[in-house]
């Protein structure tokens, strides 16, 4: 099989099989759609609310992406501080772990009260808070595990710390960074939706989910879940593409 | 003529939680220009500390390190280093890896001239045709060859080799010994080589320095006349066997056994 063809064909077939199994399961068990909607129930839901899906989907997407960008900037900065200074690593690690251990669902009402009415800001803030941790940890590990020989090779030539960072430390950390970014993408979606669902303000796919719940429109709720999954897949593959572009060297050719 | 590398009475201790840990205690090494000094000694006797001192990566507590008539007071771009771990940058091609020092050293070759020099060195070590490969596509021995080119590309005064062949299999290692002689014939350099391998030390070195156990001092120096065309066969002569026997004995003394025990 042609490799490009396989790359698109195999996942496509997998999705079709998954949908068929889902449809079959609901049909065999005879579940009503308020217990478990089937893929065929979703099509009318999408048809009826198509414009809402587009608008809400976009709201969820841009706030997730902005939250993620903030997480990358702040996470990388914290990672650099911890990667280069042992003292800062010892100082910040317990704080970070503690912060990460707090379930973000409990933070949502606090944030919502703290910045009443600033819905976009609140949502971005939660998306950021939930997703920066893996980035900070991976960057700090990448930098602190740099073998001393790499540093020595450049230092013996009189290179400055900045040169060592740009020429060696940064590129060497990229594979770990992208690994963490893949985790962060999914987390950021959870953050955005948490805010949209727990503190509803009529925006985003989370709000659409909530209105499905209020109106007992179960197929709509399932349709929102699938839309979220689709957005997640799109964003994930954007990260994969970035990784290939900037850290493609780390990929071993498969034999 | 003053020697190229002159290490005089160097003492050094690392500070640890249990107080100072002396590693070097009265080290004297002298290498003439174009010389090849092999340093052997028991494990953990401070051989790597010696390379870091010569490279200017650290300063000794006492004593002096002179390079080319100048006292070493910090890193200088006139050394080239190669380690047991070839530490090539995986995201660069072999050619770009070799060019790395030229991007850092001031007044270095640039552009086409730099690339020509890197290609010349790669051909010297037998890596012609591998310039555009990534390090991950090369074997351990080939990576070490590339690392050697990187150490030589900026025409350093001193080549510092810290067990560069230690992790290679025996045949590859012997190939690389021969390569070192071939390169030296076309591209003369002064080198200080840290090694655990006595055969390597007498094949490559024209001077073998035996360090005592920690804290290390210069225990024994052997001078070896260099033949014009060294080959691996030189290792299988009676002179070579005698030299190895003497060095073995010195190492056993360095490891702390008494001369009586060694002879007995």
């Amino acid at each position: 099989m042609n490799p490009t063809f396989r790359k698109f064909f195999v996942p496509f077939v997998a999705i079709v099989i998954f949908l068929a199994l889902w449809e079959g399961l609901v049909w065999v068990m005879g579940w009503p759609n308020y217990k478990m909607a089937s893929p065929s129930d979703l099509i009318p839901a999408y048809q009826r609310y198509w414009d809402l899906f587009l608008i809400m989907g976009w709201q969820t997407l841009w706030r997730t992406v902005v939250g993620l960008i903030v997480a990358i900037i702040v996470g990388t900065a914290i990672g650099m501080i911890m990667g280069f200074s042992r003292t800062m690593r010892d100082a910040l690690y317990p704080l970070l772990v503690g912060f990460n251990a707090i379930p973000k669902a409990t933070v949502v009402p606090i944030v919502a009260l703290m910045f009443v009415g600033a819905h976009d800001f609140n949502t971005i803030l939660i998306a950021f808070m939930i997703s920066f941790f893996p980035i900070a940890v991976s960057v700090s590990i990448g930098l602190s595990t740099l073998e001393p020989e790499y540093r020595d090779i450049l230092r013996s030539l009189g290179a400055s710390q900045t040169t060592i960072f740009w020429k060696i430390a940064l590129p060497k950390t990229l594979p770990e960074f992208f690994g963490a970014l893949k985790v962060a993408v999914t987390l950021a979606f959870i953050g955005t939706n948490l805010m949209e669902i727990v503190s509803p303000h009529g925006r985003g796919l989370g709000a659409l989910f909530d209105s499905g719940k209020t109106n007992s429109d179960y197929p709509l709720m399932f349709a929102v879940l699938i839309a979220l999954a689709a957005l997640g897949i799109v964003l994930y593959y954007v990260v994969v593409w970035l990784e290939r572009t900037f850290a493609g060297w780390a990929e071993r050719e498969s034999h | 003529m003053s020697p190229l590398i002159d290490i005089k009475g160097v003492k050094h201790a690392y500070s640890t939680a249990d107080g100072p840990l002396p590693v070097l205690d009265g080290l004297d090494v002298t290498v003439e220009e174009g010389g090849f000094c092999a340093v052997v000694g028991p494990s953990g006797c401070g051989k790597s500390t010696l390379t870091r001192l010569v490279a200017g990566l650290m300063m000794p507590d006492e004593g002096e390190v002179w390079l080319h008539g100048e006292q070493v007071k910090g890193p200088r771009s006139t050394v080239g280093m190669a380690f047991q771990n070839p530490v090539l940058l995986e995201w660069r091609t072999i050619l770009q890896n070799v060019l790395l020092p030229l991007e850092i050293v001031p007044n270095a070759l640039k552009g086409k001239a730099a690339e020509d020099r890197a290609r010349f060195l790669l051909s010297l070590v037998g890596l012609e045709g591998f310039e555009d490969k990534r390090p991950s596509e090369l074997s351990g021995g080939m990576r070490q060859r590339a690392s050697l080119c990187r150490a030589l590309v900026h025409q350093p005064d001193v080549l510092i080799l810290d067990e560069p062949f230690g992790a290679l299999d025996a045949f590859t290692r012997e190939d690389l010994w021969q390569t070192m002689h071939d390169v030296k014939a076309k591209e003369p350099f002064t080198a200080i080589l840290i090694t655990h391998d006595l055969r390597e030390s007498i094949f490559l070195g024209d001077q073998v320095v035996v360090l005592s156990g920690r804290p290390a001092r210069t225990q024994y120096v052997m001078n070896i006349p260099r033949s014009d065309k060294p080959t691996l066969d030189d290792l299988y002569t009676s002179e070579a066997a005698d030299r190895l026997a003497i060095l073995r004995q010195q190492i056993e003394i360095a490891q702390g056994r008494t001369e009586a025990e060694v002879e007995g």
Side-chain angles (χ1 to χ4, degrees):
Chain A
M1 225 189 296
N2 170 327
T4 336
F5 177 68
R6 188 168 69 183
K7 223 156 91 191
F8 291 98
F9 184 70
V10 171
F12 178 75
V13 170
I15 289 173
V16 169
I17 291 176
F18 170 75
L19 290 176
L21 285 175
W22 179 6
E23 184 78 44
L25 183 73
V26 174
W27 187 73
V28 167
M29 304 300 282
W31 282 329
N33 72 8
Y34 55 81
K35 192 165 187 183
M36 174 78 133
S38 66
S40 55
D41 292 333
L42 303 185
I43 296 165
Y46 282 123
Q47 275 170 343
R48 201 161 357 136
Y49 303 111
W50 187 238
D51 47 344
L52 275 183
F53 269 101
L54 283 183
I55 296 167
M56 303 291 202
W58 166 246
Q59 285 167 346
T60 296
L61 183 65
W62 82 257
R63 290 188 291 200
T64 305
V65 170
V66 172
L68 203 55
I69 291 171
V70 178
I72 291 172
I73 296 168
V74 176
T76 308
I78 295 177
M80 279 171 67
I81 292 169
M82 293 201 302
F84 282 128
S85 155
R86 250 211 95 87
T87 316
M88 290 308 281
R89 184 153 69 244
D90 293 344
L92 290 180
Y93 237 113
L95 282 174
L96 272 186
V97 171
F99 183 81
N100 192 50
I102 299 173
K104 294 303 171 291
T106 60
V107 182
V108 168
I110 298 174
V111 167
L113 272 180
M114 211 182 273
F115 308 101
V116 180
H119 296 310
D120 287 341
F121 177 79
N122 286 346
T123 315
I124 291 169
L125 186 63
I126 294 290
F128 151 71
M129 285 202 291
I130 204 170
S131 63
F132 82 97
F133 183 75
I135 298 175
V137 170
S138 74
V139 171
S140 88
I141 290 177
L143 292 179
S144 61
T145 54
L146 186 68
E147 291 94 329
E149 289 100 330
Y150 282 100
R151 232 173 271 261
D152 284 355
I153 288 267
L154 288 199
R155 267 212 327 133
S156 67
L157 297 169
S160 65
Q161 284 296 340
T162 325
T163 310
I164 294 176
F165 177 75
W166 285 110
K167 292 233 185 253
I168 294 189
L170 180 75
K172 207 169 158 44
T173 308
L174 281 180
E176 278 105 338
F177 169 79
F178 278 110
L181 194 54
K182 286 178 189 164
V183 178
V185 164
T186 333
L187 288 176
F189 263 111
I190 295 174
T192 313
N193 278 280
L194 213 51
M195 195 69 199
E196 289 170 353
I197 293 170
V198 177
S199 169
H201 43 262
R203 279 184 227 167
L205 287 174
L208 195 57
F209 180 85
D210 207 54
S211 73
K213 199 171 76 182
T214 330
N215 298 314
S216 306
D217 189 344
Y218 299 101
L220 174 61
M221 291 166 75
F222 277 93
V224 169
L225 297 188
I226 299 301
L228 282 171
L231 281 184
I233 292 174
V234 169
L235 214 49
Y236 181 88
Y237 279 101
V238 169
V239 174
V240 169
W241 175 77
L242 286 173
E243 181 182 32
R244 243 186 239 142
T245 310
F246 292 104
W249 52 267
E251 228 171 84
R252 291 277 191 274
E253 274 181 39
S254 50
H255 294 287
Chain B
M1 193 183 73
S2 69
L4 189 77
I5 307 174
D6 200 1
I7 299 170
K8 295 190 253 192
V10 162
K11 294 186 183 185
H12 193 79
Y14 289 111
S15 48
T16 67
D18 310 321
L21 175 75
V23 280
L24 298 178
D25 183 30
L27 191 70
D28 297 287
V29 178
T30 309
V31 188
E32 298 298 330
E33 181 151 10
F36 198 121
C37 172
V39 179
V40 296
S43 292
C45 78
K47 298 191 293 292
S48 290
T49 308
L50 170 64
T51 63
R52 295 176 62 81
L53 289 172
V54 176
L57 292 172
M58 49 186 271
M59 296 302 117
D61 293 343
E62 267 180 63
E64 291 169 359
V65 179
W66 290 74
L67 221 62
H68 236 323
E70 269 178 60
Q71 191 172 356
V72 176
K73 293 217 161 82
R76 32 191 299 152
S77 47
T78 56
V79 299
M81 295 185 96
F83 304 96
Q84 177 166 350
N85 177 354
V87 290
L88 297 176
L89 312 184
E90 296 289 335
W91 53 95
R92 289 175 170 234
T93 63
I94 293 301
L95 184 69
Q96 290 167 338
N97 262 291
V98 174
L99 287 170
L100 179 72
L102 297 179
E103 295 166 19
I104 292 157
V105 172
N107 310 320
L109 293 174
K110 292 274 178 268
K112 182 83 172 65
E115 205 181 302
D116 285 346
R117 169 145 179 89
R119 283 182 192 279
F120 163 72
L121 286 172
L122 284 169
S123 71
L124 269 191
V125 301
L127 281 183
E128 215 163 0
F130 291 91
E131 292 89 347
D132 298 324
K133 298 265 188 230
R134 303 263 172 193
S136 58
E137 299 174 84
L138 267 59
S139 69
M142 289 159 99
R143 272 192 284 242
Q144 203 51 265
R145 286 169 200 267
S147 155
L148 204 60
C149 292
R150 179 180 59 190
L152 283 168
V153 74
H154 54 297
Q155 290 175 300
D157 285 347
V158 182
L159 190 58
I160 300 171
L161 305 167
D162 192 350
E163 292 188 52
F165 316 121
L168 303 174
D169 67 86
F171 296 125
T172 309
R173 195 182 312 155
E174 291 183 356
D175 266 354
L176 268 151
W177 294 349
Q178 195 64 60
T179 303
M180 287 301 290
H181 276 304
D182 298 345
V183 170
K184 197 165 191 284
K186 296 209 175 91
E187 177 78 29
F189 53 77
T190 309
I192 184 156
L193 165 79
I194 307 296
T195 178
H196 274 121
D197 187 328
L198 296 182
R199 292 169 70 240
E200 179 173 305
S201 74
I202 64 162
F203 184 63
L204 289 178
D206 38 38
Q207 179 188 196
V208 180
V209 175
V210 180
L211 299 187
S212 69
R214 199 168 65 208
R217 58 183 173 75
T218 307
Q219 175 181 302
Y220 179 79
V221 179
M222 173 187 277
N223 288 304
I224 299 172
R226 258 290 72 91
S227 67
D228 292 334
K229 248 193 126 7
T231 70
L232 284 168
D233 294 337
D234 299 350
L235 282 175
Y236 302 94
T237 59
S238 57
E239 288 115 307
D242 292 345
R243 288 187 187 119
L244 285 173
I246 296 170
L247 287 174
R248 260 208 68 70
Q249 201 173 32
Q250 288 296 331
I251 291 288
E252 282 178 341
I253 296 168
Q255 282 170 333
R257 296 180 226 179
T258 64
E259 278 177 67
E261 269 179 274
V262 171
E263 271 152 30

